[in-house]
Amino acid sequence: MTTIDLQPVKGVRDFHPEDMRVRTWLFGLWREVARRYGFEEYDACVLESEELYTRKAGDEITKQLYNFATKGEDRVALRPEMTPSLARLVLGKGAALALPARWFAIPQCFRYENMQRGRKREHFQWNMDIIGLASVAAEAELMAAQVDFLRLAGLDVGTAKPDVVLRVSNRQVIQHFLAGLGIEGDSFAAVCVIIDKRDKIGDEATAVELAKLGLTAESSAAIISLLDTTGLDQVAAKVPADNPGLLALRELLALAEASGIAHLVKIDLSVIRGLSYYTGTVWELFDASGSLPRAIAGGGRYDKLMETFGGPPTPMVGFGFGDVVIVEILKERGLLPTPPRGIDDVVYPMAAAEFPVATRIAAFLRAQGRGVAVDYSGRRFKHVIGRAEADGAKRLLVLGGDEVKAGVVTVRTLGPEKVEEKVPLATFGA
Ligand code: HAM
């Protein structure tokens, strides 16, 4: 007999019931915040056509695809992100979709990544996207939603030393700067993919990569120096006053002020993001302590993606917020809850003869909406009560032969009080 490997496939997770309770809690907060902002939930299949992810700019995500041919020779992939599926769905709706639309989803995504802390080969990603709104009011709203979630999760987002920072840039700042150097269109997207890796590969390797795209050493140096700019004033000092990226950042900051999140925003041109489809605002949410170097969430404006799929010009902006990093951060700070199992009552028939009456009582209580587990194990009282307490049940209903004959059930309140009383079976519909 061969024994099976008990580990899940490398880089993916199992969710035991206790993990699942945490996941359900997290998704519940995400859904609650989405509801508060008027977003509608959508979904798509994790299996998509591979062509949805093929991009000229050489995005890393394309290289990390779990892709294969089906038995029918169709090229398919497990989605690495939700945005292309969203664009496909929106495009499919056509003019029937009332714009602006606010859509959210919590897809599971797969990327063949080098695993590190905060990075796995599978993750769940809360996405909120606004379709058909060109104003940076959309970005401000999305950032405010992220902050509302963090507040609900217990993080400090209100004081002068908050737990998180929103690092924000706008690709148009650099795009217009590069256009002045003759770099436009697809080359711009390719430049973004390279400079996004600068943190990892360093300035020298970045310049080498940029040279492969035909940039001179002077141009590369100029881009790299621009990337080191932080704060709106410094950006304004480096680019012309009518640079559309600068104007958008200024407007965004004013709206962030209005929604009470401006203190969390740090304008930082080194934020590029690795996805080539972004065209305007790009932002990343980080743990301010720097203990986890990975972004908690990332988003941006992608006003041209629909056109690359053959659709009409449609402004779109959104973010992806993974479950892995945030859970690590909440765990580190002792903020991760241990949600209860949701069992209110355990009904304990002491022998098989009492099974029918136990079953009737359980049905009666369930019909009232209570969570009921019947302990049919036949184990000793000590075990049963121990298990019921460990499961967080509030009451134990004991059905011994004598009790049933006397037409009563012993109801024991679990927890510190431990009150016990005999209650007529009729009270529980039995
Ligand atoms: P992204 O930056 O690639 O953006 O991913 C967004 C978030 O997903 C990350 O900040 C992180 O929380 C999580 N994430 C990504 N990869 C992994 C991984 N391997 N392991 C664990 N967590 C991960 C996007 O995917 C864009 N489609 C987001 C977006 C939506 N932009 C506009 N709308």
Side-chain angles (χ1 to χ4, degrees), residues 66-233:
Y66 276 92
N67 50 353
F68 54 96
T70 65
K71 291 189 174 70
E73 310 265 309
D74 295 319
R75 295 291 314 170
V76 294
L78 299 182
R79 68 174 162 232
E81 57 160 339
M82 197 58 162
T83 311
S85 304
L86 169 67
R88 182 174 65 70
L89 264 64
V90 169
L91 191 52
K93 276 269 180 191
L97 182 65
L99 298 181
R102 291 174 162 77
W103 284 18
F104 85 96
I106 310 179
Q108 189 174 26
C109 301
F110 290 81
R111 300 182 188 184
Y112 198 82
E113 289 243 24
N114 288 327
M115 283 174 310
Q116 315 158 12
R117 187 154 171 242
R119 280 290 174 272
K120 304 199 177 289
R121 291 188 172 163
E122 148 280 318
H123 69 282
F124 286 90
Q125 199 190 81
W126 176 35
N127 279 242
M128 282 178 73
D129 289 86
I130 300 181
I131 304 126
L133 192 60
S135 161
V136 287
E139 280 90 324
E141 193 167 69
L142 292 166
M143 289 175 194
Q146 293 182 322
V147 174
D148 277 357
F149 159 75
L150 296 167
R151 189 183 296 111
L152 284 179
L155 287 165
D156 177 357
V157 290
T159 64
K161 264 191 110 241
D163 287 335
V164 292
V165 54
L166 281 160
R167 297 173 58 217
V168 182
S169 182
N170 189 306
R171 282 194 178 180
Q172 291 202 22
V173 175
I174 293 178
Q175 186 177 354
H176 280 258
F177 178 81
L178 288 175
L181 302 172
I183 302 152
E184 291 182 271
D186 289 345
S187 313
F188 171 65
V191 166
C192 286
V193 169
I194 291 170
I195 55 185
D196 177 61
K197 288 189 284 202
R198 177 179 166 229
D199 264 3
K200 265 187 253 161
I201 63 175
D203 287 353
E204 221 168 285
T206 305
V208 170
E209 292 292 313
L210 289 174
K212 286 184 196 158
L213 287 182
L215 269 73
T216 63
E218 295 78 59
S219 300
S220 294
I223 295 170
I224 289 169
S225 135
L226 186 61
L227 289 177
D228 284 332
T229 314
T230 56
L232 201 63
D233 294 345

